[in-house]
Amino acid sequence: GAVVSQHPSWVICKSGTSVKIECRSLDFQATTMFWYRQFPKQSLMLMATSNEGSKATYEQGVEKDKFLINHASLTLSTLTVTSAHPEDSSFYICSARPGEQYFGPGTRLTVT
Amino acid sequence: GENVEQHPSTLSVQEGDSAVIKCTYSDSASNYFPWYKQELGKRPQLIIDIRSNVGEKKDQRIAVTLNKTAKHFSLHITETQPEDSAVYFCAASKGGTYKYIFGTGTRLKVLA
């Protein structure tokens, strides 16, 4: 099956700094990737749709200047959390689709 | 936009019994309905899906039914086993967007 990786798997950063999370499709090309946020014991909330070579499409209520998404190639999308604050602490998961969506293992972000 | 409701939020069954999880969606244009299983700390894994031109689909102990008129779909797990214990998410999507809107999740516990 399709394999999606994420890096890092966890990260701790100080308030005010920026953090970059990578999402890679390892064995297929993904023109579209998705970024989700998941709070403990809650559902996956779609943040944005990342399209290769074009601007990401953000869901309502998601600050595009805070969550910068870049889909520079058919196998890589990055999410940068800028000027992170403790309330940004969460589990961030990406997915990519060769058809149905395959999920990465997630990145746990803790902002202190 | 699309809204997906999922019930129940928690479900405990005895090993060997059946489990049923129900979801309703609001957008009649949705035409693809995947189900994901997420074990603690792991990525969501696709377990079964159904398209709107089909009323039922089965894969061994797992089945999904879809009622387009009522806009609801259900996951059925028969002969449950302890390893079925996880959080299950339904989702709805419509062709062209490929976006998934997830339900709130059901925590299934299979008691040995």
Side-chain angles (χ1 to χ4, degrees):
Chain A
V3 180
V4 178
S5 70
Q6 263 181 260
H7 178 81
S9 56
W10 60 270
V11 57
I12 301 172
C13 71
K14 292 188 176 180
S15 188
T17 61
S18 296
V19 174
K20 180 185 283 188
I21 303 169
E22 292 186 349
C23 176
R24 292 181 185 273
S25 55
L26 299 185
D27 52 0
F28 65 97
Q29 293 185 330
T31 54
T32 305
M33 292 183 172
F34 302 89
W35 287 96
Y36 295 85
R37 185 172 181 176
Q38 187 176 34
F39 291 104
K41 297 187 178 181
Q42 293 192 26
S43 188
L44 296 121
M45 184 192 78
L46 179 64
M47 298 175 67
T49 302
S50 171
N51 300 297
E52 187 267 336
S54 64
K55 290 183 179 181
T57 304
Y58 291 82
E59 294 299 302
Q60 193 172 7
V62 178
E63 298 176 61
K64 61 181 180 181
D65 294 331
K66 180 163 189 63
F67 299 101
L68 301 179
I69 292 172
N70 184 22
H71 195 148
S73 77
L74 286 171
T75 59
L76 173 64
S77 176
T78 60
L79 168 68
T80 301
V81 183
T82 62
S83 187
H85 290 284
E87 56 265 31
D88 298 325
S89 298
S90 189
F91 193 55
Y92 293 88
I93 308 182
C94 70
S95 72
R97 53 172 303 274
E100 61 270 22
Q101 289 186 29
Y102 289 86
F103 283 85
T107 297
R108 186 161 302 283
L109 169 64
T110 302
V111 184
T112 61
Chain B
E2 174 66 279
N3 182 50
V4 179
E5 295 188 357
Q6 185 171 345
H7 299 280
S9 56
T10 60
L11 179 60
S12 293
V13 299
Q14 290 291 330
E15 182 178 1
D17 287 351
S18 295
V20 180
I21 302 170
K22 298 181 179 181
C23 289
T24 59
Y25 60 99
S26 60
D27 191 341
S28 57
S30 291
N31 58 5
Y32 176 66
F33 308 92
W35 284 89
Y36 283 84
K37 175 183 180 182
Q38 186 178 30
E39 296 179 46
L40 189 62
K42 296 190 177 180
R43 76 185 80 194
Q45 300 270 17
L46 179 69
I47 56 171
I48 197 167
D49 56 9
I50 193 167
R51 298 190 184 278
S52 60
N53 60 346
V54 176
E56 183 174 358
K57 185 177 179 181
K58 190 173 181 181
D59 183 4
Q60 299 183 344
R61 296 186 297 108
I62 295 173
V64 57
T65 58
L66 171 65
N67 183 328
K68 282 192 300 182
T69 303
K71 290 189 281 189
H72 67 70
F73 56 112
S74 300
L75 177 71
H76 304 254
I77 305 174
T78 58
E79 301 172 24
T80 54
Q81 301 166 3
E83 51 265 37
D84 294 330
S85 296
V87 179
Y88 291 81
F89 292 99
C90 63
S93 176
K94 52 185 178 183
T97 70
Y98 308 111
K99 293 194 313 184
Y100 290 2
I101 302 302
F102 280 88
T104 48
T106 296
R107 187 170 301 275
L108 174 64
K109 286 186 181 178
V110 180
L111 308 171

